Amino acid sequence: MMAVPAMANAADPVKIGFVTTLTTGAGAIGKDMREAVDLAVIHLGGKMAGRDIDVIYEDDGFKPEIGKQKTDKLVKKDNVDFIAGYIWSHVLMASYKSAVDSGTFLISSNAGPSALAGKLCHENFFSTSWQNDQTPMAMGEVLNQRGVKRLYIMAPNYAAGKNMVTGVERTFKGEIVGKDMTKFPAQLDFSAELAKVRAAKPDALFVFYPGKHGAQFMAQYAQADLATSVPLYTTFTIDSISLPRIGEQAEGSLMTMFWSPDLDTPANKRFVGDFIAKYGHYPSHYAAQSYDSIMLINSAVEKVKGDLSNKDAVRAALKAAEFESVRGKLKFGNNNIPIQNFYLRQVVKDDKGQYTTKIVSTVYEDHQDTYAKECKMK
């Protein structure tokens, strides 16, 4: 008599590889993501469909080649069922084929390079974040609404930086009076570029500088005393990780995002409240997306009753995304990138004097990324 796979494997844990940056100056982002994953596991009682959860964390060291090595290890040695994480687009791109070609399901908890939403889309690749262009596209719309006619752009010269610039240029209707693509990750001094901004006298400055680059930029922007003459609009530059350090410099500033700590959904209230209670600080969007990655995986494992042997069934369960996301209901497009709202957020102080963000308005409702039409999946 043939053994039933689900029963045979019932004692085995659900193995999830999680690749992020836990060292270098970007380690604070990876720590936030890891905290969110740990909280998700706690919320699930440490089990998915009765099976223990085994999360294997790997540090990519902020380098594509290390990220690929760690992904290869998770696939070939650890035999994980799912891989999630990935902050950086260039790290994800280097690791992508190792995961999806092996038949392992890959869930990006942050990076959203355009190629993976379009021509390189794959049935085994999902995202709990966004495609890189979407957030700056929403910012372009905000700039139009606010009457900005002349814009200066600054961003790092790598995959995500290029996508961010493409996004804002796609929707902004005014004139781009200057654009600097700075070296990444080596460049942390932006004084020369800020001098060029001052000389150009734009109506506004748009920047994308994630992690420690954002904190460095904000400090130098304040030192240059540009705030009164050149209003700043950002994506992924100011977050809950950097706000305790740069709050005063960032107060009142505006950014676009699909999520905010004050988003009024039951799952988000539980996530944010328990995160603050456990870790003593607000979660970032990196954390929110990582939390959703685990909850997405759980929804699939539960739907197939813990039997991960049928890849088609697991894939269909991931696509269905039958769980309450921190953003509300998660709905995937044909390319497995979320179709979702994008909001204008502003940096404010909460009732305890801590810096956070609040939603000002909804910029896009049910927005699908531009590259979905290039994806051959239905």
Side-chain angles (χ1 to χ4, degrees):
M1 184 175 178
M2 186 177 293
V4 179
M7 294 300 293
N9 297 325
D12 296 336
V14 177
K15 298 179 76 171
I16 302 169
F18 198 90
V19 180
T20 188
T21 308
L22 295 169
T23 56
T24 78
I29 298 176
K31 178 177 179 286
D32 213 50
M33 295 170 78
R34 181 170 184 162
E35 289 175 343
V37 171
D38 289 345
L39 180 61
V41 172
I42 291 170
H43 280 174
L44 294 172
K47 292 184 181 295
M48 295 179 177
R51 296 173 60 177
D52 289 342
I53 303 169
D54 182 11
V55 181
I56 303 170
Y57 292 100
E58 294 290 351
D59 177 19
D60 60 35
F62 206 165
K63 293 182 178 179
E65 61 273 20
I66 296 177
K68 183 183 185 305
Q69 289 170 8
K70 297 301 178 70
T71 302
D72 286 338
K73 170 190 173 288
L74 290 167
V75 169
K76 297 175 182 178
K77 182 180 177 182
D78 298 314
N79 296 311
V80 296
D81 302 299
F82 306 88
I83 299 180
Y86 301 97
I87 301 171
W88 314 105
S89 291
H90 58 324
V91 176
L92 177 58
M93 289 299 292
S95 305
Y96 180 66
K97 285 184 67 63
S98 293
V100 297
D101 288 355
S102 73
T104 307
F105 295 106
L106 172 60
I107 297 100
S108 175
S109 306
N110 191 64
S114 54
L116 304 190
K119 294 178 180 178
L120 295 182
C121 68
H122 195 285
E123 63 180 3
N124 291 337
F125 174 72
F126 293 81
S127 166
T128 54
S129 54
W130 23 258
Q131 190 280 317
N132 286 340
D133 294 36
Q134 290 183 284
T135 305
M137 284 176 67
M139 181 54 78
E141 296 289 1
V142 170
L143 292 167
N144 295 333
Q145 293 167 7
R146 291 179 167 256
V148 173
K149 303 298 184 186
R150 302 174 74 253
L151 181 68
Y152 203 106
I153 293 174
M154 289 177 59
N157 191 17
Y158 79 115
K162 294 173 184 176
N163 285 163
M164 296 290 163
V165 172
T166 298
V168 76
E169 288 181 337
R170 183 178 288 119
T171 54
F172 176 61
K173 295 178 180 178
E175 177 187 1
I176 307 296
V177 298
K179 179 166 62 176
D180 285 308
M181 303 298 291
T182 56
K183 293 179 181 179
F184 187 79
Q187 184 173 340
L188 289 166
D189 182 359
F190 308 108
S191 55
E193 288 79 11
L194 288 169
K196 291 167 66 178
V197 172
R198 184 187 300 279
K201 298 181 180 179
D203 296 334
L205 171 61
F206 167 80
V207 304
F208 159 69
Y209 282 108
K212 69 175 182 180
H213 292 74
Q216 290 282 351
F217 175 84
M218 290 301 301
Q220 292 170 35
Y221 173 76
Q223 289 165 7
D225 198 26
L226 284 170
T228 55
S229 58
V230 185
L232 179 65
Y233 295 83
T234 69
T235 54
F236 305 106
T237 301
I238 300 165
D239 55 43
S240 298
I241 300 169
S242 62
L243 273 177
R245 300 194 305 275
I246 65 168
E248 188 174 350
Q249 297 165 352
E251 188 168 4
S253 64
L254 298 165
M255 67 218 65
T256 44
M257 179 62 71
F258 80 99
W259 172 86
S260 183
D262 66 327
L263 194 61
D264 190 12
T265 71
N268 196 51
K269 286 182 175 180
R270 183 189 187 199
F271 164 64
V272 174
D274 287 359
F275 192 99
I276 293 172
K278 184 172 178 59
Y279 303 116
H281 60 91
Y282 278 98
S284 69
H285 64 276
Y286 301 104
Q289 295 155 186
S290 300
Y291 181 87
D292 264 4
S293 293
I294 301 304
M295 293 306 184
L296 171 64
I297 292 170
N298 177 66
S299 71
V301 176
E302 291 285 346
K303 191 166 187 178
V304 299
K305 298 179 170 57
D307 179 8
L308 303 181
S309 63
N310 185 337
K311 294 280 188 179
D312 290 340
V314 177
R315 187 180 300 110
L318 287 168
K319 186 81 171 184
E322 293 179 353
F323 75 104
E324 282 302 312
S325 160
V326 294
R327 76 205 81 195
K329 180 73 177 78
L330 178 60
K331 178 173 64 176
F332 285 120
N334 63 298
N335 56 357
N336 297 339
I337 306 291
I339 296 174
Q340 60 193 337
N341 293 355
F342 285 83
Y343 307 98
L344 178 64
R345 306 191 312 178
Q346 186 171 35
V347 175
V348 296
K349 282 185 178 179
D350 67 11
D351 55 6
K352 295 180 180 178
Q354 289 184 295
Y355 284 103
T356 183
T357 61
K358 70 172 184 180
I359 294 173
V360 176
S361 63
T362 302
V363 183
Y364 285 140
E365 291 187 4
D366 293 332
H367 188 264
Q368 184 168 33
D369 69 277
T370 304
Y371 302 93
K373 61 181 180 292
E374 299 176 12
C375 174
K376 294 182 180 179
M377 294 192 300
K378 300 298 184 183

